Amino acid sequence: MSKRPTRQSSSQTPKKAKNDMDKDQTCINAIRCLSADMPSAANSGHPGAPMGCAPLAYLLWTKFMSYDPQDPSWLNRDRFVLSNGHACALQYAMLHLTGYDLSMEDLKNFRQIGSKTPGHPERDDTPGIEVTTGPLGQGVANAVGLAMAEKHMAATFNTSDFPDLIDNTVYVIMGDGCHQEGVSSEACSLAGHLKLGNLIVLYDDNSITIDGDTSLSFTEDVPKRFESYGWETITVDGLDSDITDLEAAIEKAKLSKDKPTLISCKTTIGFGSGIQGTHGVHGAPLKPDDLKQVKEKFGFNGDDKFVVPSDALAVFREAGAKGAAAHAEWKGRFEQYKIAEPAKAVELARRLSGKLPEDWRKCLPTWTSEDPALASRQTSEKVLNAIAEALPELVGGSADLTPSNLTQLKCSSDFQHGSYEGRYFRFGVREHGMAAICNGLAAYGGLVPFGATFFNFIQYMLPSVRLSALSHLRVLYIMTHDSIGLGEDGPTHQPINALALCRSMPNCLAIRPCDGNETAGAYAVAMENGHRPSVLVFSRQGLPQQDGSTVDKVFKGAYTLVNCEKPKVILVASGSEVPLCVDAAKLVGEGARVVSMPCMDLFEEQSAEYKSTVFPEGVPVLAVEALSGFGWDRYSHAQHCMKTFGASGPLKKLFVHFGFTPENISDKANGLVKFYEGKPVPSLVNRFE
Amino acid sequence: MSKRPTRQSSSQTPKKAKNDMDKDQTCINAIRCLSADMPSAANSGHPGAPMGCAPLAYLLWTKFMSYDPQDPSWLNRDRFVLSNGHACALQYAMLHLTGYDLSMEDLKNFRQIGSKTPGHPERDDTPGIEVTTGPLGQGVANAVGLAMAEKHMAATFNTSDFPDLIDNTVYVIMGDGCHQEGVSSEACSLAGHLKLGNLIVLYDDNSITIDGDTSLSFTEDVPKRFESYGWETITVDGLDSDITDLEAAIEKAKLSKDKPTLISCKTTIGFGSGIQGTHGVHGAPLKPDDLKQVKEKFGFNGDDKFVVPSDALAVFREAGAKGAAAHAEWKGRFEQYKIAEPAKAVELARRLSGKLPEDWRKCLPTWTSEDPALASRQTSEKVLNAIAEALPELVGGSADLTPSNLTQLKCSSDFQHGSYEGRYFRFGVREHGMAAICNGLAAYGGLVPFGATFFNFIQYMLPSVRLSALSHLRVLYIMTHDSIGLGEDGPTHQPINALALCRSMPNCLAIRPCDGNETAGAYAVAMENGHRPSVLVFSRQGLPQQDGSTVDKVFKGAYTLVNCEKPKVILVASGSEVPLCVDAAKLVGEGARVVSMPCMDLFEEQSAEYKSTVFPEGVPVLAVEALSGFGWDRYSHAQHCMKTFGASGPLKKLFVHFGFTPENISDKANGLVKFYEGKPVPSLVNRFE
C-alpha cells in the first residue's frame, strides 16, 4: 500500500516560520496568477492544471532543481519534464520567473504563431524545454529515457576522482491522463526494473479528467501499481496551501537511490478559481470576473495582468542565481577533469556537440556483387556493430526481438542495474515505451539511440516516432521483417501500410535498402542527419549484393542502378523488390532501366535536374513494392504493389501468389510501354509547385 | 499480494483418482504433440507456448467452456481469446480435437497460403476464432470488449423470466509479452474499474521471452499490478504435470462476480522438449529427434505424426458434444423467449444478423445551404445522436474527450457497474485500449461500437484500427480536430500525417466530410459497410452548409460540388478545405469546378466511367488539404497541402500563414492552368493497371 506521511512523520520536519510559509504562498499564488493570465490573453489554453500544480513547480524550481537559466544546455542540470504538457503555462511561468530567456512579452504571446510559447511545450522553441510534450504519457516515458541516459553517461564518464561529474536527477510532473496511457505503464515498468533512483515523479492527483471525475473511468490504486513495478511511493495531502509535506517527500525521494519514486500529490485543479475542483477549469480560460476574484483572493490587485510581486520575483531569481553558481562550480570541476582525463573530456565534448568524427564513415563495411546474398537485417547487424565499435554514443536495443532484429551489440554488454555502462537495452515487449525512451535518450545529449522491432509494430510506437520528427531528435528505428517477404507469420505481421505512413510523416526519413551497401548508406544517412529520425527498414529474407550500389548514392534517395542506352521503361523499387526488378529488366530486354529508391524523402529533396537524370522525360515508370502502393503515384505511372493485406505462407509462394515474379513484372513493364505508345508520358519531375 | 493456493487449500479439492489424472495427462500430452507437429510440418512457427499452455487449454475446453463446435456463432457460447496468438497451433489443435470444422488435413496445412490455419489466428479464416491475434496485447484487450459486450447484451435482453439468456464467460490465455504491452494495461485497468466478473485470464507465466529470461526486462509483480486495477488474482504452481490446483482456481474465478480474475499459471515453455524452459523452444520447430523423444517420453509412438490416441480424442469429442447439448437446451429456452418477448427476440435476431432496418436512413438529419455553419464535430453530434436513437446497437464513447469530440449519447446513460445497460462508455485516456475494446465489442455480435478521440491520436491506437480492418469489423472511429484548423493546441495535436496513414490502410474507409449532409453520409457509409471499419474525420471549426451535398454522394467517394460549363481547372478537397475551394473558385471566375472528395478509398472503387465524369480528361486538378499531401498525386496534378508540421496559433491566422486562403488557392489554380497551356494534361483516370 502507499505510504501516506502521518501527522507524526510530517511534524518531524521542522515546521517553518509563518513568515516563510507566507512567502511560499505568495510565490505559489504568483505562479497561479501568471499561469492563468496566459490562457486568458490567448483566449485559449489550460489554466486548471497550472494553478493546481503551482506548489509542485514552486518547490522544484526554488528548493530542489539545479539549473542555470543562462545556459539551459549545461550538461549536469537536473532535467524537468512536464508530462501533462497542456499545463505548459506553468512551465513557461517558471522559466520566465527564474530568469531564462523568456520575457513577459513572450508569455503574453502565449499560443501565437512563431512565439516561444506554443500551445504545448516544444523542445526547440523555448529555452529550458527538454522534451516536447502534450500527447499524454509521452513525457514521463521520455523522462525514463533521460534517467537512463544520465545513468549511462555517469557510468561512462565519471571516474573515482570525479564521481559526480555527471550526477543529476530527472523530475516529472504528470497527471491522471499520463497514467492512463499505456506508454507510461510500459516505461515506468522498465524504470522500476532498472532501479532508476534518479527519477522522481510528482503525480498531480486532482481526481479530474476532461469527461469529469476520475471515478468515471480511473479507479485503480496508482501507488500500488507503481509498487508492483518496484517504485517507492509517497502520498501527500493538503498541498494546496501547505507544502511542508511535499518538501519532506521530495527529500525522501532523493534518498531513494535504487528505486524511482512516485509522489502522489493531492491537489485541487484550478485552485483559487470559483470553479476549482471541476473539469470546467481544465481546458478553457477563466472568465474575467473569476480571474479577478482569484487575484483578489490571493491578495493581489484584481485588475493587474502579467504582474509579479517583486518579493516573489526575487525568490525566483535567487533560485536561478543559485543554479548559475552551481554551474560555475561544476565548470571548475570540469576544468580539472579535462586535465586529469583529457581523452574522456574531448570525447564528452564531441559527443555533446552531436558531431561525428570526420572520418567516421571508414568504419562502414562494404560489399561487392561477388559477396553472398544476405538478408538486409543481416547486413544491418554488421553495419550496426561496426558503427557501435567506432561510435560509443550509439546505444539502443530491441523490444524483445533481439534474435530476429539482429541488433545485439557485440562490443558492449546489457544496460542493467549494476552495469549502467552497458550500451544494449532490453526494452521488453514495449515498443511504444522504447520509442519514447529513445526520445529521452536523444534529448539528454551525447547519445544516439536506436530501437528495434518488426516493421509492422512501428504502429505501436507511432506517436513517439512522430515526436522524434517534430522535436528534431536523431533516433534510429531499426525495423526488420519489412514486407510480405517475412512469410508465414502472415498478415498480422506483414507491414503493408507501414512504409506509407512513415513516408507521409514530415521530417522523418524512411529508408529501405536493397543490399549491404545501401544498408551501410542507410545508417550513414541516419547518423549524419542530426536533426531528424530515420526509420531503417530491413528484410527477413536474403537479398543479393548489387553491382553499383554505394553508400553515397543512398544520400540521393534514388539512383539508376541498372542503366541501358535508351531507356524505354523504368522499374523503380526499394528493398527486396530491387533485385526482383533487376531480374525483370533482363526479361524485358533492351531498354529497361532499374532505379533503386531506398528513400523517397531524400529523393524529394534533390534538385529537379538530378531527378530528371533518374526519371528522364518521356519514359514510363513502373513502381514495384511488396507493400501498399499509396504515395507511389508521385514517382511512377503505374504500380505493382499490394492492394490488400498479405497472407500466411512461405515467402517464395507468397511472392508468386501476389505477382512479385520477374515474369509478371516484365509483362507489366511491357504492357506499360505499350499503353503509352503514341501517347505523351506525364513528367514525374517537371511539375507545377 | 497474490494469493498462492497453499497445500491446504488445494488439498480441499478432492484429489482425483490416479486413473483420471493419467487420462488428463494423456490428453494434455496429445495436445502438446499435435501442437508441435504443426510447426514441424510447416518448418515454421511456435511450438513452445502451445506445449507449455496445453494444460490450460485442456481444462478450458473439456471442463469449463460452453461451446458448440457445430455452430461457432451460437450467441451464448463462452468466448475464448488466445492473446499470445503465436501459440495458435494450440488453438487449432483444440478446435480440431473438440470437433470444429477443422480437419487434420487443415492442421497439416499450418501456415500455408489459403489454409484455415494461418500463422496467427484470424477471425474470418477459421471457425471458432473469435478475434484475430498475434500483435501482442491486443487479444486480452479485445477480451475486455467481449466481456463488456456480454454485460451490455445481458442487461439489454435478459428479463426476470430469462435471467440468463445471455450469460457467458470470456476466457483468455495470455503471455508475458501481452502483459508488457501498454494496450493490455489500459484495457485491464478499465476491466477492473467496470468490475467485469465475466472475464477470466490465464496468464502463461513461463518466465521466458524472445530475448531470454524475463529477468532481463520484466520483473514487476504482475498479480499485484492487477490487484491495483481491482482484479482477483490467483497463482498456480506445478501445472506442467498436475492440473488440480488450476481447476480449483478457475472454479474460484467463476465465483468472482464483481471482479475479473487473473490466474498466473507457472508453466514450462516447450514442456517435454529437450530444450524446455529456454527461449530456444519459443519460435522455431523442434528438431526431428527432439520431437521424437517428446512423443516417446509421453508414451506415444515417436514416429507418429498428427496422430491422436483414440481415448484422448474421445475425451475431446465428448466435451464438444456436451457443448452441443447445452446449445440445444439454450435453443429451447430461446423458443420460449420468442413467445414471451417477441419484440426483443426479433430485435436480437436482427442485431445478430448485422443488418440495419430497411428504412434506417430516415433517421439521418439533413441540412440546406440556408442553415448556419457548424463544425463537422457538431453535425457529427447531431447525426450520431439521431442514429443512436434509431439503432440501439450503436454503443461507444470517447477516450476522455467527450466535451470536445461531442459524442455523448443523449438517449442513453453511462455503461458502468450497476448500469451495464448504458450505451455510453467512459474509456478514460486510453485510446489504444478503446480501439482494441471496440474490436471486441464488434466481434461479440449485435453491437456497432464507436470510439472517439482527437484525430492525431489515432496514432496511439493504430495497431487496433489495423486489426479492425484486417478482421473485417465494423467499428466507427470518430476523430475530431482534424487539421491545423484546430488552432492553438499546435503541432503536437495537428494531425498532419493522420489522414494519409488511414488512406494507406487496406479495407479501411477514411472519410472527411465538408458539411452536415456529408457528415450524415459519412455515418451512412460507416453503418452500411458491415465488413470494414470507418475513420470519420471532423473539424473543430465551423463549416458552412454546401449547396448540393447529399448523403448519397458520399457513397461515391468524390463528386462535383460546384460545376461550370467548361471546366478549365478543378479544385479537389476534403473537409474544411472544400468551402475554401468554393471561395477560391469564385475568384478564379469562369471555368473552375470544385470536387468534394470526402473518401478517397470509396472513389477508388468507382468505375472509370464515373471517375471520368468527375475528373474529365484534359482538365488540370489542384488538390487542397490542410494536411500532408502524401498520396494526393493519384487524383491531382498539383497540391496545396502541408509539407511540414503545423504551428500553434489562432486557426484563421494559421490558415493565412500556411497559404490556405481563397486568394492563394485561386492564384495557384490559375498558375496551374497556365502551366499546362499547350501541354497535354496527364489523365487521372485512364491509367495502366
Side-chain angles (χ1 to χ4, degrees):
Chain A
M1 298 302 299
S2 62
K3 296 154 202 155
R4 287 173 181 253
T6 57
R7 286 286 151 211
Q8 285 81 345
S9 76
S10 60
S11 68
Q12 285 162 0
T13 318
K15 280 286 174 198
K16 294 180 180 188
K18 184 166 182 315
N19 225 7
D20 286 346
M21 286 185 67
D22 287 349
K23 204 175 191 181
D24 288 342
Q25 289 307 316
T26 301
C27 290
I28 291 167
N29 291 332
I31 298 169
R32 287 182 170 128
C33 293
L34 191 56
S35 303
D37 276 338
M38 284 180 246
S40 289
N43 195 25
S44 168
H46 303 75
M51 295 172 79
C53 293
L56 286 55
Y58 171 70
L59 267 176
L60 291 181
W61 260 272
T62 64
K63 317 266 159 152
F64 289 99
M65 292 204 299
S66 188
Y67 57 90
D68 181 357
Q70 303 312 309
D71 185 357
S73 68
W74 170 30
L75 170 62
N76 204 37
R77 69 192 182 277
D78 287 330
R79 265 62 169 182
F80 173 77
V81 174
L82 185 75
S83 194
N84 49 343
H86 55 272
C88 58
L90 175 70
Q91 199 171 7
Y92 299 147
M94 297 315 300
L95 293 171
H96 166 75
L97 290 168
T98 53
Y100 283 80
D101 180 18
L102 197 69
S103 67
M104 195 62 96
E105 207 51 38
D106 291 322
L107 302 195
K108 290 177 185 169
N109 275 321
F110 184 55
R111 298 192 145 217
Q112 303 307 304
I113 297 176
S115 78
K116 289 158 88 173
T117 48
H120 290 86
E122 291 182 54
R123 175 178 158 75
D124 294 318
D125 289 11
T126 318
I129 302 291
E130 305 285 354
V131 288
T132 299
T133 57
L136 294 173
Q138 299 291 330
V140 63
N142 298 159
V144 173
L146 288 166
M148 287 166 67
E150 192 273 345
K151 288 291 187 194
H152 177 72
M153 293 291 279
T156 306
F157 288 100
N158 290 354
T159 64
S160 53
D161 286 344
F162 296 87
D164 50 8
L165 185 79
I166 297 175
D167 175 26
N168 62 261
T169 303
V170 181
Y171 294 95
V172 178
I173 294 179
M174 71 186 289
D176 306 295
C178 291
H179 273 308
Q180 293 177 70
E181 293 286 3
V183 61
S184 72
S185 295
E186 293 179 13
C188 291
S189 172
L190 188 61
H193 167 78
L194 293 171
K195 299 183 191 294
L196 301 176
N198 56 345
L199 177 61
I200 298 175
V201 175
L202 276 56
Y203 163 30
D204 176 31
D205 187 6
N206 62 27
S207 301
I208 292 296
T209 71
I210 291 177
D211 269 19
D213 195 277
T214 47
S215 65
L216 282 175
S217 63
F218 186 58
T219 48
E220 62 175 59
D221 181 340
V222 174
K224 184 170 180 174
R225 172 156 67 91
F226 274 71
E227 285 159 26
S228 82
Y229 295 149
W231 288 51
E232 281 294 336
T233 68
I234 308 172
T235 296
V236 178
D237 250 321
L239 245 176
D240 293 329
S241 46
D242 184 353
I243 56 173
T244 322
D245 288 353
L246 179 57
E247 192 170 348
I250 302 175
E251 293 287 7
K252 192 169 166 223
K254 291 204 62 149
L255 298 176
S256 170
K257 294 298 176 196
D258 283 352
K259 286 184 174 187
T261 300
L262 177 79
I263 305 176
S264 298
C265 305
K266 302 282 181 188
T267 68
T268 301
I269 189 169
F271 184 78
S273 158
I275 50 168
Q276 70 178 34
T278 73
H279 65 124
V281 78
H282 164 82
L286 299 188
K287 295 220 162 67
D289 56 345
D290 191 15
L291 183 57
K292 187 172 177 180
Q293 73 78 24
V294 167
K295 289 176 181 172
E296 287 170 354
K297 190 189 291 173
F298 291 155
F300 303 146
N301 183 336
D303 294 319
D304 276 354
K305 281 170 188 161
F306 293 100
V307 170
V308 180
S310 56
D311 51 341
L313 188 60
V315 170
F316 293 115
R317 290 291 152 95
E318 193 185 312
K322 197 176 65 185
H327 184 191
E329 183 277 328
W330 184 88
K331 272 182 181 161
R333 264 190 294 152
F334 190 64
E335 289 305 315
Q336 293 171 322
Y337 182 81
K338 279 183 183 167
I339 294 162
E341 302 281 352
K344 275 182 188 274
V346 166
E347 176 68 358
L348 178 57
R350 180 191 69 76
R351 285 175 56 170
L352 291 175
S353 77
K355 286 188 186 141
L356 307 175
E358 275 297 316
D359 59 349
W360 85 273
R361 278 202 211 173
K362 280 189 185 158
C363 75
L364 296 174
T366 55
W367 283 264
T368 73
S369 57
E370 310 294 304
D371 289 320
L374 286 173
S376 53
R377 64 175 171 151
Q378 291 175 303
T379 53
S380 162
E381 181 180 31
K382 287 183 197 297
V383 176
L384 178 69
N385 272 286
I387 297 176
E389 280 220 43
L391 301 177
E393 59 264 50
L394 188 71
V395 297
S398 162
D400 193 44
L401 285 172
T402 299
S404 296
N405 299 143
L406 303 178
T407 45
Q408 185 82 58
L409 297 184
K410 289 164 192 162
C411 64
S412 189
S413 55
D414 279 4
F415 175 93
Q416 295 283 3
H417 179 67
S419 63
Y420 289 137
E421 72 285 358
R423 292 161 56 193
Y424 196 69
F425 301 141
R426 301 287 182 173
F427 287 112
V429 189
R430 304 181 181 101
E431 298 86 4
H432 201 173
M434 172 173 75
I437 286 169
C438 283
N439 284 338
L441 290 163
Y444 188 89
L447 296 171
V448 179
F450 69 86
T453 185
F454 287 158
F455 189 28
N456 199 38
F457 301 145
I458 197 168
Q459 293 176 76
Y460 272 77
M461 57 199 216
L462 207 58
S464 301
V465 178
R466 187 178 189 275
L467 284 169
S468 309
L470 178 59
S471 37
H472 305 105
L473 293 170
R474 174 169 47 183
V475 176
L476 278 58
Y477 294 103
I478 301 179
M479 303 283 109
T480 71
H481 296 61
D482 69 347
S483 77
I484 57 166
L486 65 82
E488 290 89 344
D489 272 349
T492 55
H493 286 52
Q494 290 161 357
I496 297 304
N497 54 320
L499 199 49
L501 65 86
C502 295
R503 285 170 175 158
S504 68
M505 192 183 290
N507 202 45
C508 173
L509 298 174
I511 317 176
R512 184 170 183 244
C514 76
D515 71 354
N517 290 333
E518 283 197 7
T519 300
Y523 274 97
V525 165
M527 294 301 294
E528 293 183 11
N529 274 268
H531 291 85
R532 48 183 169 177
S534 295
V535 180
L536 309 177
V537 182
F538 300 118
S539 74
R540 174 176 184 247
Q541 75 272 29
L543 305 176
Q545 308 305 328
Q546 298 297 332
D547 200 3
S549 62
T550 68
V551 165
D552 285 345
K553 289 174 184 170
V554 176
F555 280 75
K556 296 285 191 188
Y559 63 94
T560 301
L561 177 70
V562 177
N563 212 349
C564 55
E565 210 153 314
K566 260 197 173 173
K568 65 176 184 187
V569 67
I570 297 173
L571 302 175
V572 60
S574 73
S576 53
E577 287 70 71
V578 172
L580 170 65
C581 287
V582 170
D583 290 344
K586 287 176 195 153
L587 295 184
V588 173
E590 269 310 290
R593 169 185 285 191
V594 178
V595 169
S596 176
M597 188 181 261
C599 182
M600 212 181 263
D601 311 274
L602 286 173
F603 187 69
E604 190 69 18
E605 295 170 5
Q606 303 307 310
S607 67
E609 195 186 344
Y610 175 73
K611 287 180 184 172
S612 294
T613 65
V614 177
F615 297 118
E617 295 299 317
V619 185
V621 180
L622 175 69
V624 183
E625 209 168 55
L627 295 164
S628 161
F630 190 78
W632 264 112
D633 291 285
R634 190 154 190 89
Y635 290 115
S636 61
H637 302 94
Q639 297 89 35
H640 186 77
C641 297
M642 294 292 291
K643 294 191 172 180
T644 62
F645 288 106
S648 171
L651 84 99
K652 284 184 183 168
K653 290 187 179 171
L654 283 174
F655 267 71
V656 172
H657 180 76
F658 288 109
F660 291 94
T661 61
E663 294 73 21
N664 189 47
I665 301 304
S666 71
D667 284 353
K668 283 216 164 181
N670 286 326
L672 184 63
V673 172
K674 194 163 276 177
F675 179 82
Y676 277 112
E677 264 172 18
K679 279 186 225 162
V681 180
S683 173
L684 297 174
V685 175
N686 182 18
R687 63 173 77 230
F688 177 73
E689 298 284 357
Chain B
M1 297 302 299
S2 62
K3 295 155 202 153
R4 287 173 182 251
T6 57
R7 285 286 150 210
Q8 286 81 346
S9 76
S10 60
S11 70
Q12 287 163 358
T13 318
K15 280 285 175 197
K16 295 181 179 188
K18 186 167 181 316
N19 224 4
D20 286 345
M21 287 185 66
D22 286 350
K23 203 174 192 182
D24 288 342
Q25 289 307 316
T26 301
C27 290
I28 292 168
N29 291 333
I31 299 170
R32 287 180 170 129
C33 292
L34 190 56
S35 303
D37 276 338
M38 284 180 247
S40 289
N43 195 25
S44 168
H46 304 75
M51 294 172 80
C53 293
L56 286 55
Y58 171 69
L59 266 175
L60 290 181
W61 260 271
T62 63
K63 318 266 161 148
F64 289 99
M65 291 204 300
S66 187
Y67 58 89
D68 179 358
Q70 302 312 308
D71 184 358
S73 69
W74 171 30
L75 170 62
N76 204 36
R77 71 194 181 275
D78 287 331
R79 266 60 170 183
F80 173 77
V81 174
L82 185 76
S83 194
N84 49 343
H86 56 271
C88 58
L90 176 68
Q91 199 170 7
Y92 299 147
M94 297 315 300
L95 293 171
H96 167 75
L97 290 169
T98 53
Y100 282 79
D101 180 18
L102 197 70
S103 67
M104 195 62 95
E105 207 50 39
D106 290 323
L107 303 195
K108 290 178 184 168
N109 274 322
F110 185 56
R111 299 191 146 219
Q112 302 307 305
I113 297 177
S115 78
K116 289 158 89 173
T117 49
H120 290 85
E122 291 182 55
R123 174 178 161 73
D124 295 319
D125 289 11
T126 317
I129 302 291
E130 305 285 353
V131 289
T132 300
T133 57
L136 294 173
Q138 299 291 332
V140 63
N142 298 159
V144 174
L146 288 166
M148 288 166 67
E150 191 274 344
K151 288 291 187 194
H152 177 71
M153 293 292 278
T156 305
F157 287 100
N158 290 352
T159 64
S160 52
D161 286 343
F162 296 88
D164 49 9
L165 185 78
I166 298 175
D167 176 26
N168 62 262
T169 303
V170 181
Y171 294 94
V172 178
I173 294 178
M174 70 187 289
D176 306 295
C178 291
H179 272 308
Q180 293 177 69
E181 294 285 4
V183 62
S184 72
S185 295
E186 293 179 13
C188 291
S189 172
L190 188 61
H193 167 77
L194 292 171
K195 302 185 188 295
L196 301 176
N198 56 345
L199 178 60
I200 299 175
V201 175
L202 276 56
Y203 164 30
D204 176 32
D205 187 7
N206 64 26
S207 301
I208 291 297
T209 72
I210 293 177
D211 269 20
D213 195 278
T214 48
S215 65
L216 282 174
S217 63
F218 186 58
T219 47
E220 62 176 57
D221 181 340
V222 175
K224 185 170 181 174
R225 173 156 67 87
F226 274 70
E227 285 158 26
S228 82
Y229 295 150
W231 288 50
E232 280 296 336
T233 69
I234 307 172
T235 296
V236 177
D237 251 323
L239 246 175
D240 293 330
S241 46
D242 184 354
I243 55 173
T244 322
D245 287 353
L246 179 58
E247 191 170 348
I250 302 176
E251 292 287 7
K252 190 169 169 224
K254 290 205 63 151
L255 298 176
S256 170
K257 294 298 177 193
D258 284 353
K259 287 183 171 188
T261 301
L262 177 79
I263 306 176
S264 298
C265 306
K266 302 282 182 187
T267 68
T268 301
I269 189 170
F271 184 78
S273 157
I275 51 169
Q276 70 177 36
T278 73
H279 65 125
V281 78
H282 163 81
L286 299 188
K287 295 219 162 69
D289 56 345
D290 191 13
L291 183 55
K292 186 172 178 182
Q293 74 79 25
V294 168
K295 290 176 180 171
E296 287 169 355
K297 192 190 290 174
F298 291 153
F300 304 145
N301 183 335
D303 294 319
D304 276 353
K305 279 169 191 163
F306 293 100
V307 170
V308 180
S310 56
D311 52 340
L313 187 60
V315 170
F316 294 116
R317 290 292 153 96
E318 192 186 315
K322 197 176 64 184
H327 184 191
E329 183 276 327
W330 184 89
K331 271 182 180 161
R333 264 190 294 151
F334 190 64
E335 288 305 316
Q336 294 172 320
Y337 182 81
K338 277 183 184 168
I339 294 162
E341 302 281 351
K344 275 182 188 272
V346 167
E347 177 67 1
L348 178 58
R350 181 191 68 77
R351 285 173 58 169
L352 291 175
S353 77
K355 287 190 185 138
L356 307 176
E358 274 297 316
D359 60 348
W360 85 274
R361 279 203 209 172
K362 281 190 186 159
C363 75
L364 296 173
T366 55
W367 283 263
T368 74
S369 56
E370 310 294 302
D371 290 320
L374 286 173
S376 52
R377 64 173 170 153
Q378 292 175 302
T379 52
S380 161
E381 181 180 30
K382 288 182 197 296
V383 177
L384 178 69
N385 272 286
I387 298 176
E389 281 219 42
L391 301 177
E393 59 264 51
L394 188 72
V395 298
S398 161
D400 193 44
L401 285 172
T402 299
S404 296
N405 300 142
L406 303 178
T407 45
Q408 184 81 58
L409 296 185
K410 288 161 193 165
C411 64
S412 189
S413 54
D414 280 5
F415 175 93
Q416 296 282 2
H417 180 66
S419 63
Y420 288 137
E421 72 286 358
R423 292 161 55 193
Y424 196 69
F425 301 140
R426 301 288 181 174
F427 287 112
V429 190
R430 305 182 179 102
E431 298 85 5
H432 200 172
M434 172 174 73
I437 286 169
C438 282
N439 284 338
L441 290 164
Y444 188 89
L447 296 171
V448 179
F450 69 86
T453 184
F454 287 158
F455 189 28
N456 199 39
F457 301 145
I458 198 167
Q459 293 175 77
Y460 272 77
M461 58 199 213
L462 207 58
S464 301
V465 179
R466 187 178 189 277
L467 284 169
S468 310
L470 177 59
S471 37
H472 306 104
L473 293 170
R474 173 167 50 181
V475 176
L476 277 59
Y477 294 102
I478 300 179
M479 304 282 110
T480 71
H481 295 62
D482 69 346
S483 77
I484 58 167
L486 65 83
E488 291 89 345
D489 272 349
T492 55
H493 286 52
Q494 291 162 356
I496 297 306
N497 53 321
L499 199 49
L501 64 87
C502 294
R503 285 170 174 158
S504 68
M505 191 182 290
N507 202 45
C508 172
L509 298 174
I511 317 178
R512 185 172 182 244
C514 76
D515 69 356
N517 291 333
E518 282 196 6
T519 299
Y523 275 97
V525 165
M527 295 299 295
E528 293 182 10
N529 274 267
H531 291 85
R532 48 184 169 178
S534 295
V535 180
L536 309 178
V537 181
F538 299 118
S539 73
R540 175 176 185 248
Q541 76 272 29
L543 306 176
Q545 308 306 330
Q546 297 297 332
D547 200 4
S549 61
T550 68
V551 165
D552 285 345
K553 289 174 183 169
V554 175
F555 280 77
K556 295 284 192 188
Y559 63 94
T560 301
L561 177 70
V562 177
N563 211 350
C564 55
E565 209 154 318
K566 259 197 172 175
K568 66 178 185 187
V569 66
I570 296 173
L571 302 175
V572 60
S574 73
S576 54
E577 288 70 71
V578 172
L580 170 66
C581 287
V582 170
D583 290 345
K586 288 175 195 155
L587 295 182
V588 173
E590 271 308 289
R593 168 184 286 190
V594 178
V595 169
S596 176
M597 189 180 260
C599 183
M600 212 180 262
D601 311 275
L602 285 175
F603 187 69
E604 189 69 18
E605 295 170 6
Q606 304 307 309
S607 67
E609 194 186 347
Y610 176 73
K611 287 180 184 171
S612 295
T613 66
V614 178
F615 297 118
E617 296 300 316
V619 186
V621 180
L622 176 68
V624 184
E625 209 168 55
L627 295 164
S628 162
F630 190 79
W632 264 112
D633 291 285
R634 189 154 190 90
Y635 290 115
S636 62
H637 303 94
Q639 297 88 35
H640 186 77
C641 297
M642 295 291 293
K643 294 191 171 179
T644 62
F645 289 106
S648 171
L651 84 99
K652 285 183 182 168
K653 290 188 178 170
L654 283 175
F655 268 72
V656 172
H657 181 76
F658 288 110
F660 291 94
T661 61
E663 295 73 22
N664 189 46
I665 301 305
S666 69
D667 285 353
K668 283 217 163 178
N670 287 326
L672 183 64
V673 172
K674 196 164 272 173
F675 179 83
Y676 277 112
E677 264 170 19
K679 279 185 224 162
V681 180
S683 173
L684 296 174
V685 175
N686 183 17
R687 62 174 78 232
F688 177 74
E689 298 284 357

